[in-house]
PDB file of all heavy atoms in Angstrom:
ATOM      1  N   THR A 181      52.240 186.398 113.177  1.00 55.00           N
ATOM      2  CA  THR A 181      53.422 186.985 113.764  1.00 55.00           C
ATOM      3  C   THR A 181      53.470 186.671 115.237  1.00 55.00           C
ATOM      4  O   THR A 181      52.488 186.847 115.959  1.00 55.00           O
ATOM      5  CB  THR A 181      53.419 188.518 113.570  1.00 55.00           C
ATOM      6  OG1 THR A 181      53.251 188.795 112.201  1.00 55.00           O
ATOM      7  CG2 THR A 181      54.710 189.128 114.055  1.00 55.00           C
ATOM      8  N   ILE A 182      54.577 186.147 115.654  1.00 50.00           N
ATOM      9  CA  ILE A 182      54.765 185.912 117.094  1.00 50.00           C
ATOM     10  C   ILE A 182      55.825 186.875 117.555  1.00 50.00           C
ATOM     11  O   ILE A 182      56.946 186.890 117.051  1.00 50.00           O
ATOM     12  CB  ILE A 182      55.219 184.464 117.349  1.00 50.00           C
ATOM     13  CG1 ILE A 182      54.171 183.506 116.802  1.00 50.00           C
ATOM     14  CG2 ILE A 182      55.439 184.234 118.851  1.00 50.00           C
ATOM     15  CD1 ILE A 182      54.689 182.099 116.622  1.00 50.00           C
ATOM     16  N   GLU A 183      55.462 187.741 118.455  1.00 53.00           N
ATOM     17  CA  GLU A 183      56.396 188.720 118.951  1.00 53.00           C
ATOM     18  C   GLU A 183      57.251 188.133 120.062  1.00 53.00           C
ATOM     19  O   GLU A 183      56.738 187.556 121.006  1.00 53.00           O
ATOM     20  CB  GLU A 183      55.643 189.936 119.505  1.00 53.00           C
ATOM     21  CG  GLU A 183      54.897 190.733 118.463  1.00 53.00           C
ATOM     22  CD  GLU A 183      55.807 191.680 117.718  1.00 53.00           C
ATOM     23  OE1 GLU A 183      56.827 192.108 118.294  1.00 53.00           O
ATOM     24  OE2 GLU A 183      55.496 191.991 116.556  1.00 53.00           O
ATOM     25  N   ALA A 184      58.543 188.270 119.920  1.00 55.00           N
ATOM     26  CA  ALA A 184      59.404 187.854 121.014  1.00 55.00           C
ATOM     27  C   ALA A 184      59.357 188.908 122.124  1.00 55.00           C
ATOM     28  O   ALA A 184      59.068 190.061 121.853  1.00 55.00           O
ATOM     29  CB  ALA A 184      60.838 187.708 120.505  1.00 55.00           C
ATOM     30  N   SER A 185      59.594 188.481 123.311  1.00 57.00           N
ATOM     31  CA  SER A 185      59.562 189.457 124.400  1.00 57.00           C
ATOM     32  C   SER A 185      60.791 190.350 124.293  1.00 57.00           C
ATOM     33  O   SER A 185      61.807 189.950 123.746  1.00 57.00           O
ATOM     34  CB  SER A 185      59.508 188.736 125.738  1.00 57.00           C
ATOM     35  OG  SER A 185      60.709 188.018 125.902  1.00 57.00           O
ATOM     36  N   PRO A 186      60.677 191.550 124.827  1.00 57.00           N
ATOM     37  CA  PRO A 186      61.731 192.546 124.613  1.00 57.00           C
ATOM     38  C   PRO A 186      63.125 192.099 125.092  1.00 57.00           C
ATOM     39  O   PRO A 186      64.123 192.551 124.538  1.00 57.00           O
ATOM     40  CB  PRO A 186      61.251 193.746 125.435  1.00 57.00           C
ATOM     41  CG  PRO A 186      59.788 193.570 125.551  1.00 57.00           C
ATOM     42  CD  PRO A 186      59.545 192.075 125.560  1.00 57.00           C
ATOM     43  N   ASP A 187      63.185 191.200 126.050  1.00 60.00           N
ATOM     44  CA  ASP A 187      64.508 190.815 126.544  1.00 60.00           C
ATOM     45  C   ASP A 187      65.187 189.796 125.633  1.00 60.00           C
ATOM     46  O   ASP A 187      66.314 189.377 125.861  1.00 60.00           O
ATOM     47  CB  ASP A 187      64.432 190.288 127.979  1.00 60.00           C
ATOM     48  CG  ASP A 187      63.513 189.093 128.096  1.00 60.00           C
ATOM     49  OD1 ASP A 187      62.598 188.967 127.241  1.00 60.00           O
ATOM     50  OD2 ASP A 187      63.699 188.279 129.012  1.00 60.00           O
ATOM     51  N   GLU A 188      64.489 189.377 124.595  1.00 70.00           N
ATOM     52  CA  GLU A 188      65.088 188.414 123.672  1.00 70.00           C
ATOM     53  C   GLU A 188      65.685 189.061 122.429  1.00 70.00           C
ATOM     54  O   GLU A 188      66.500 188.480 121.743  1.00 70.00           O
ATOM     55  CB  GLU A 188      64.055 187.355 123.268  1.00 70.00           C
ATOM     56  CG  GLU A 188      63.659 186.469 124.416  1.00 70.00           C
ATOM     57  CD  GLU A 188      62.443 185.641 124.113  1.00 70.00           C
ATOM     58  OE1 GLU A 188      61.564 186.097 123.374  1.00 70.00           O
ATOM     59  OE2 GLU A 188      62.393 184.501 124.601  1.00 70.00           O
ATOM     60  N   ILE A 189      65.162 190.246 122.129  1.00 77.00           N
ATOM     61  CA  ILE A 189      65.602 190.919 120.898  1.00 77.00           C
ATOM     62  C   ILE A 189      66.276 192.230 121.275  1.00 77.00           C
ATOM     63  O   ILE A 189      65.803 192.940 122.160  1.00 77.00           O
ATOM     64  CB  ILE A 189      64.412 191.208 119.975  1.00 77.00           C
ATOM     65  CG1 ILE A 189      63.818 189.914 119.483  1.00 77.00           C
ATOM     66  CG2 ILE A 189      64.848 192.062 118.791  1.00 77.00           C
ATOM     67  CD1 ILE A 189      62.726 190.095 118.473  1.00 77.00           C
ATOM     68  N   TYR A 190      67.363 192.482 120.615  1.00 81.00           N
ATOM     69  CA  TYR A 190      68.085 193.727 120.893  1.00 81.00           C
ATOM     70  C   TYR A 190      68.230 194.549 119.631  1.00 81.00           C
ATOM     71  O   TYR A 190      68.553 194.013 118.568  1.00 81.00           O
ATOM     72  CB  TYR A 190      69.478 193.403 121.445  1.00 81.00           C
ATOM     73  CG  TYR A 190      69.430 192.639 122.757  1.00 81.00           C
ATOM     74  CD1 TYR A 190      69.325 191.259 122.770  1.00 81.00           C
ATOM     75  CD2 TYR A 190      69.448 193.334 123.976  1.00 81.00           C
ATOM     76  CE1 TYR A 190      69.249 190.562 123.953  1.00 81.00           C
ATOM     77  CE2 TYR A 190      69.376 192.645 125.149  1.00 81.00           C
ATOM     78  CZ  TYR A 190      69.275 191.261 125.158  1.00 81.00           C
ATOM     79  OH  TYR A 190      69.205 190.586 126.336  1.00 81.00           O
ATOM     80  N   ASP A 191      67.982 195.817 119.781  1.00 82.00           N
ATOM     81  CA  ASP A 191      68.250 196.748 118.685  1.00 82.00           C
ATOM     82  C   ASP A 191      69.443 197.593 119.098  1.00 82.00           C
ATOM     83  O   ASP A 191      69.466 198.179 120.164  1.00 82.00           O
ATOM     84  CB  ASP A 191      67.061 197.690 118.463  1.00 82.00           C
ATOM     85  CG  ASP A 191      65.980 196.975 117.639  1.00 82.00           C
ATOM     86  OD1 ASP A 191      66.297 196.539 116.547  1.00 82.00           O
ATOM     87  OD2 ASP A 191      64.850 196.902 118.148  1.00 82.00           O
ATOM     88  N   ILE A 192      70.446 197.615 118.243  1.00 82.00           N
ATOM     89  CA  ILE A 192      71.623 198.398 118.557  1.00 82.00           C
ATOM     90  C   ILE A 192      71.848 199.425 117.451  1.00 82.00           C
ATOM     91  O   ILE A 192      71.865 199.080 116.273  1.00 82.00           O
ATOM     92  CB  ILE A 192      72.879 197.498 118.654  1.00 82.00           C
ATOM     93  CG1 ILE A 192      72.690 196.422 119.730  1.00 82.00           C
ATOM     94  CG2 ILE A 192      74.135 198.305 118.898  1.00 82.00           C
ATOM     95  CD1 ILE A 192      72.988 196.852 121.129  1.00 82.00           C
ATOM     96  N   GLU A 193      71.995 200.669 117.870  1.00 83.00           N
ATOM     97  CA  GLU A 193      72.333 201.715 116.912  1.00 83.00           C
ATOM     98  C   GLU A 193      73.830 201.639 116.640  1.00 83.00           C
ATOM     99  O   GLU A 193      74.627 201.617 117.572  1.00 83.00           O
ATOM    100  CB  GLU A 193      72.015 203.100 117.507  1.00 83.00           C
ATOM    101  CG  GLU A 193      70.572 203.333 117.843  1.00 83.00           C
ATOM    102  CD  GLU A 193      69.720 203.585 116.600  1.00 83.00           C
ATOM    103  OE1 GLU A 193      70.246 204.183 115.641  1.00 83.00           O
ATOM    104  OE2 GLU A 193      68.552 203.158 116.594  1.00 83.00           O
ATOM    105  N   LEU A 194      74.198 201.557 115.394  1.00 78.00           N
ATOM    106  CA  LEU A 194      75.634 201.459 115.109  1.00 78.00           C
ATOM    107  C   LEU A 194      76.212 202.735 114.483  1.00 78.00           C
ATOM    108  O   LEU A 194      77.315 203.143 114.806  1.00 78.00           O
ATOM    109  CB  LEU A 194      75.897 200.294 114.156  1.00 78.00           C
ATOM    110  CG  LEU A 194      75.817 198.905 114.767  1.00 78.00           C
ATOM    111  CD1 LEU A 194      76.078 197.864 113.714  1.00 78.00           C
ATOM    112  CD2 LEU A 194      76.843 198.746 115.904  1.00 78.00           C
ATOM    113  N   GLU A 195      75.457 203.334 113.579  1.00 78.00           N
ATOM    114  CA  GLU A 195      75.941 204.532 112.872  1.00 78.00           C
ATOM    115  C   GLU A 195      77.359 204.309 112.350  1.00 78.00           C
ATOM    116  O   GLU A 195      78.262 205.111 112.549  1.00 78.00           O
ATOM    117  CB  GLU A 195      75.920 205.769 113.802  1.00 78.00           C
ATOM    118  CG  GLU A 195      74.535 206.186 114.251  1.00 78.00           C
ATOM    119  CD  GLU A 195      73.670 206.758 113.125  1.00 78.00           C
ATOM    120  OE1 GLU A 195      74.226 207.080 112.054  1.00 78.00           O
ATOM    121  OE2 GLU A 195      72.455 206.837 113.325  1.00 78.00           O
ATOM    122  N   HIS A 196      77.513 203.191 111.685  1.00 82.00           N
ATOM    123  CA  HIS A 196      78.847 202.812 111.213  1.00 82.00           C
ATOM    124  C   HIS A 196      78.929 203.058 109.700  1.00 82.00           C
ATOM    125  O   HIS A 196      78.245 202.404 108.917  1.00 82.00           O
ATOM    126  CB  HIS A 196      79.072 201.336 111.552  1.00 82.00           C
ATOM    127  CG  HIS A 196      80.325 200.777 110.972  1.00 82.00           C
ATOM    128  ND1 HIS A 196      81.560 200.990 111.545  1.00 82.00           N
ATOM    129  CD2 HIS A 196      80.533 200.025 109.879  1.00 82.00           C
ATOM    130  CE1 HIS A 196      82.470 200.381 110.810  1.00 82.00           C
ATOM    131  NE2 HIS A 196      81.884 199.793 109.797  1.00 82.00           N
TER     132      HIS A 196
END
Side-chain angles (χ1 to χ4, degrees):
Chain A
T181 306
I182 301 162
E183 293 279 333
S185 65
D187 59 334
E188 292 168 327
I189 294 185
Y190 298 86
D191 280 303
I192 302 276
E193 298 284 327
L194 285 179
E195 296 291 346
H196 172 80

